[in-house]
Amino acid sequence: MRDGLDRAVPLVTMTADATGTWTWQLALNDHCVAVAARTYQRTADYVEGRFG
């Protein structure tokens, strides 16, 4: 996989609902080679504390 890393295509997707969760995948040569095992979510409290 390291040999083809320059051809890897990352994909980050967000859910269509109001939860704001997101996940990621990595494709290589049009094949999915890695997938997040969980979804992620940043809360408003986290954002305010970090950037506020």
Side-chain angles (χ1 to χ4, degrees), residues 3-47:
D3 292 336
L5 195 55
D6 60 328
R7 295 185 316 274
V9 178
L11 174 64
V12 175
T13 57
M14 294 195 70
T15 58
D17 59 21
T19 62
T21 57
W22 59 276
T23 189
W24 59 265
Q25 296 180 6
L26 186 66
L28 184 61
N29 297 328
D30 295 324
H31 297 287
C32 185
V33 295
V35 178
R38 55 166 278 194
T39 58
Y40 300 89
Q41 181 177 27
R42 289 203 174 157
T43 64
D45 293 338
Y46 171 82
V47 173

